Amino acid sequence: MTERAGRTVKTGNQASSGELLELVRSGRATTRGALQRATGLSRATVGQRLDRLFRAGWLREGAGGPVDSPLGGRPSITLEFDDEHAVVLAADLDTRHGRAAVLTLTGEILAEHGGPLVIDDGPEAVLGELGRWFAELLEKSGQRADAVCGIGLAVPGPVDSDTGRVVQPPIMPGWDGYDIRGRLGRAFAEHAGTGAGTADVPVLVDNDANLMAYGEQRVGYPDCSAFALVKVSTGIGAGMVVGGTVYRGIDGGAGDIGHIRVGADALCRCGSYGCLAAVASGGAVARRLAESGVPAASGSDVRDLLAAGHPEAMALAREAGRQVGDVLATVVTLLNPGVLMIAGDLAGTPFLTGVRELLYQRALPRSTAHLDVVTSRLGERAGLVGAGAMVVDHLYAPERAEERLAALGV
């Protein structure tokens, strides 16, 4: 067997069409000869299994590659994952704002929309609106509804990955245990039309920090084996990618660092006192600004003030960064990541400076010697890119690919 990003690929006579597709998608084997060597399959068997992928429209032949034999000869024909046979829909929800996009199977954004979407309005209204956005984006991108192979959604709360339902989310009232997958699938079908298969499009849901981390790691740091992202907006959450795979814990609760107690007496939205999010999130900074007479109601308002160089906002952001950095010293010591990325509304110079001050002061030098502390590369698109990648990696994983090929009758 061979292994990459936490996924094992069978070799020998057991290697399926799905496993061959994984080898091509990962770049480990992109010619027929390379697939033979990687799997031990005969030339005829490789040809038969590739034929299923060609008939499904999942593979295409590329330009000629290097000579594929030690004896010389003609350049080999390369094999490529065909990213034009389907598209993915993705959305990223924050507490007051949402973004949605149509993406290719390799993560290119074809059409995108962002606008007000208030999570407190509840799942029925919010997911119904997302269904309308998706339909409009498909029309804008020139794609048909039946070209959509899956939908990915990032939400600001802990998610049970088996069911796609949020579990006791502190900042998502009315969403606990709600059937997000079912409602979003119906909303998409209602607005995009009920063509063949439209109502059965798979929907995958995960925490926003997880998907931001997944998108950022894949695009900017693919060789980093331990990657951590901290999102500081209305709340505070962390996503971790270890060995190329999102680390979620046993039930999706990993990374909820906003509810680590830091000794303060501030009341958190979760109902407890002294949570990190209650004193150092964008929402907490907004409250402190409002108390001093500065108009601010949310993390996005704080972001705008920071962009304008507002001195009090900058001072409070740096203080919040120090509080978060104190907690991150423990996270870094435990996880030992190569990259620690700060994202979200407060991810600017004042906050980052505060994080670095306390992180390097509290953590052992051994834990930070090879650590890069950086800010987001993808910005507001990180969750969309991660959600799209989650869908594609799920649908084209070897076992799932085999199931889908069988359903297609190829």
Side-chain angles (χ1 to χ4, degrees):
M1 295 187 181
T2 60
E3 191 169 319
R4 173 183 178 266
R7 181 175 294 161
T8 300
V9 176
K10 297 176 183 176
T11 55
N13 291 332
Q14 292 182 321
S16 64
S17 295
E19 265 106 26
L20 267 59
L21 178 65
E22 173 66 16
L23 289 168
V24 173
R25 286 187 62 228
S26 67
R28 284 175 289 169
T30 58
T31 65
R32 287 171 173 79
L35 288 169
Q36 288 177 242
R37 292 189 293 273
T39 62
L41 295 175
S42 68
R43 180 177 180 179
T45 302
V46 166
Q48 292 169 356
R49 295 184 181 172
L50 288 177
D51 184 57
R52 299 179 69 203
L53 300 172
F54 281 116
R55 282 186 284 143
W58 296 359
L59 278 189
R60 64 188 173 203
E61 291 185 341
V67 175
D68 203 21
S69 168
L71 302 178
R74 292 180 299 173
S76 58
I77 299 299
T78 60
L79 302 170
E80 300 174 351
F81 180 58
D82 189 340
D83 68 340
E84 297 179 354
H85 71 270
V87 294
V88 174
L89 298 175
D92 183 7
L93 296 178
D94 209 331
T95 53
R96 293 176 169 271
H97 188 272
R99 300 190 73 83
V102 181
L103 298 92
T104 69
L105 299 181
T106 49
E108 178 187 355
I109 293 180
L110 302 176
E112 182 179 6
H113 174 73
L117 207 54
V118 181
I119 207 82
D120 285 1
D121 288 344
E124 188 75 17
V126 170
L127 298 175
E129 183 68 358
L130 274 184
R132 185 178 69 81
W133 286 9
F134 283 151
E136 292 175 353
L137 286 168
L138 284 172
E139 183 176 356
K140 181 179 178 181
S141 64
Q143 299 290 329
R144 293 163 49 96
D146 57 10
V148 177
C149 65
I151 300 172
L153 177 64
V155 297
V159 177
D160 183 329
S161 58
D162 291 334
T163 64
R165 299 174 187 243
V166 292
V167 182
Q168 300 177 359
I171 59 175
M172 298 179 69
W175 291 72
D176 187 21
Y178 185 84
D179 181 17
I180 296 175
R181 290 175 176 173
R183 172 60 180 135
L184 187 52
R186 292 191 301 273
F188 169 61
E190 290 164 6
H191 290 282
T194 54
T198 302
D200 299 321
V201 171
V203 177
L204 278 70
V205 186
D206 204 348
N207 170 261
D208 55 355
N210 284 347
L211 293 181
M212 291 172 70
Y214 197 41
E216 294 277 10
Q217 189 269 340
R218 285 171 61 98
V219 170
Y221 303 90
D223 298 325
C224 181
S225 60
F227 178 96
L229 177 144
V230 178
K231 179 186 179 185
V232 186
S233 291
T234 299
I236 300 176
M240 296 168 287
V241 181
V242 180
T245 301
V246 174
Y247 179 75
R248 298 181 175 88
I250 60 171
D251 60 5
D256 205 2
I257 65 170
H259 300 285
I260 292 175
R261 304 293 176 82
V262 293
D265 59 0
L267 177 63
C268 182
R269 291 185 64 172
C270 73
S272 297
Y273 286 87
C275 294
L276 180 64
V279 297
S281 65
V285 172
R287 284 193 298 273
R288 293 186 63 181
L289 287 168
E291 289 168 0
S292 66
V294 179
S298 66
S300 59
D301 292 335
V302 177
R303 179 189 60 208
D304 294 340
L305 290 167
L306 291 172
H310 190 281
E312 188 172 355
M314 294 176 71
L316 288 174
R318 182 167 179 171
E319 180 183 339
R322 288 171 59 85
Q323 292 167 313
V324 172
D326 198 8
V327 170
L328 290 180
T330 300
V331 173
V332 165
T333 301
L334 178 65
L335 183 62
N336 189 210
V339 175
L340 172 62
M341 178 173 284
I342 307 299
D345 291 330
L346 298 192
T349 300
F351 186 86
L352 187 64
T353 298
V355 167
R356 285 174 167 156
E357 285 175 357
L358 262 290
L359 172 61
Y360 288 108
Q361 179 182 329
R362 296 281 194 264
L364 291 173
R366 173 66 182 83
S367 300
T368 58
H370 303 288
L371 175 68
D372 289 329
V373 182
V374 300
T375 54
S376 172
R377 289 189 174 190
L378 297 176
E380 293 183 333
R381 289 180 163 181
L384 296 175
V385 172
M390 169 182 65
V391 171
V392 174
D393 286 350
H394 169 76
L395 293 178
Y396 295 91
E399 290 186 5
R400 179 63 176 150
E402 281 299 304
E403 294 172 3
R404 295 177 64 216
L405 288 170
L408 290 171
V410 297

